[in-house]
């Protein structure tokens, strides 16, 4: 047909460009995601399914996503600018010089100081600052240690037992060099629940 032979300004036919676009859409939009999904599920099945944790056949959370805990018997995670909602992941987007950020950090510090019975200056930064995603499931060992006495008291457990549980759930930096030592708050709380009277 006459239109198939019309050249555009780049020297190719319109039909050839349409074929190229169709192959690109099918390849990048369908084939590649399907192969990547299948490879992910074959190589990393637990992670591909969300690293979900089940207790008695019920999903109680994910190793990769923070969640809030209620009660003095639980370690508390980092603050979340998105209310721990995975579909709304994100930071507060408040600049370090923003007065609203400073006010929130002062209020959070006062709340934690009252809850833990420590001066505000002794509170580790990760207990008063939200992560970039608002869903970081880990705390630093220092932030966890600050909460040990309260959790032990509320659960009626010796402090040494709670500290040993924290130590058992403290992860070293990945491959010994990437990141810092950290504690997964959900896994720690579940371990304490398993030993609770």
């Amino acid at each position: 047909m006459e239109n198939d032979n019309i050249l555009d300004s780049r020297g190719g036919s319109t039909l050839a460009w349409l074929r190229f676009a169709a192959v690109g859409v099918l390849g990048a939009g369908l084939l590649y995601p399907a192969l990547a999904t299948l490879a992910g599920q074959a190589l990393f099945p637990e992670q591909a399914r969300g690293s979900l944790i089940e207790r008695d056949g019920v999903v109680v959370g994910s190793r990769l996503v923070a969640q809030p805990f209620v009660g003095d018997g639980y370690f508390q995670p980092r603050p979340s600018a998105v209310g721990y909602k995975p579909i709304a992941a994100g930071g507060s987007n408040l600049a370090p010089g923003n007065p609203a950020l400073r006010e929130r950090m002062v209020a959070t510090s006062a709340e934690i100081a009252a809850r833990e019975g420590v001066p505000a200056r002794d509170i580790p930064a990760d207990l008063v600052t939200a992560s970039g995603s608002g869903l970081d499931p880990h705390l630093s060992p220092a932030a966890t240690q600050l909460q040990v006495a309260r959790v032990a008291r509320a659960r009626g457990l010796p402090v040494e037992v709670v500290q040993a549980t924290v130590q058992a759930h403290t992860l070293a930096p990945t491959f010994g060099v990437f990141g810092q030592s950290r504690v997964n708050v959900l896994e720690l709380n579940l371990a304490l629940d398993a030993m609770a009277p």
Side-chain angles (χ1 to χ4, degrees), residues 11-81:
S13 74
T14 304
L15 189 56
W17 282 107
L18 289 174
R19 286 184 192 137
F20 178 77
V23 169
V25 167
L26 289 175
L30 183 64
L31 186 59
Y32 175 76
L35 289 175
T37 301
L38 291 172
Q41 289 180 349
L43 298 173
F44 308 102
E46 182 186 352
Q47 293 88 340
R49 291 182 183 91
S51 297
L52 300 177
I53 299 175
E54 291 186 15
R55 290 292 183 266
D56 301 322
V58 176
V59 174
V60 296
S62 168
R63 287 179 178 82
L64 305 176
V65 180
Q67 63 188 54
F69 289 91
V70 178
D72 285 340
Y74 290 99
F75 285 89
Q76 299 301 314
R78 292 182 74 166
S80 173

Side-chain angles (χ1 to χ4, degrees), residues 3-174:
N3 287 341
D4 290 348
N5 296 322
I6 295 174
L7 297 180
D8 66 14
S9 61
R10 294 183 183 159
S13 74
T14 304
L15 189 56
W17 282 107
L18 289 174
R19 286 184 192 137
F20 178 77
V23 169
V25 167
L26 289 175
L30 183 64
L31 186 59
Y32 175 76
L35 289 175
T37 301
L38 291 172
Q41 289 180 349
L43 298 173
F44 308 102
E46 182 186 352
Q47 293 88 340
R49 291 182 183 91
S51 297
L52 300 177
I53 299 175
E54 291 186 15
R55 290 292 183 266
D56 301 322
V58 176
V59 174
V60 296
S62 168
R63 287 179 178 82
L64 305 176
V65 180
Q67 63 188 54
F69 289 91
V70 178
D72 285 340
Y74 290 99
F75 285 89
Q76 299 301 314
R78 292 182 74 166
S80 173
V82 296
Y84 304 101
K85 297 175 187 166
I87 48 178
S92 68
N93 294 332
L94 297 176
N98 190 316
L101 177 62
R102 178 151 180 79
E103 289 171 16
R104 187 191 61 73
M105 290 176 66
V106 168
T108 302
S109 294
E111 179 186 322
I112 293 170
R115 182 182 73 210
E116 306 300 342
V118 298
R121 69 176 177 276
D122 293 342
I123 300 171
D126 55 330
L127 283 177
V128 295
T129 57
S131 66
S133 68
L135 302 172
D136 187 353
H138 299 103
L139 280 179
S140 67
T144 310
Q145 185 61 40
L146 184 76
Q147 302 180 61
V148 165
R150 170 184 50 82
V151 171
R153 189 169 49 252
R155 288 180 177 267
L157 293 170
V159 169
E160 297 78 20
V161 170
V162 177
Q163 283 179 329
T165 308
V166 169
Q167 189 63 33
H169 286 83
T170 300
L171 304 170
T174 305

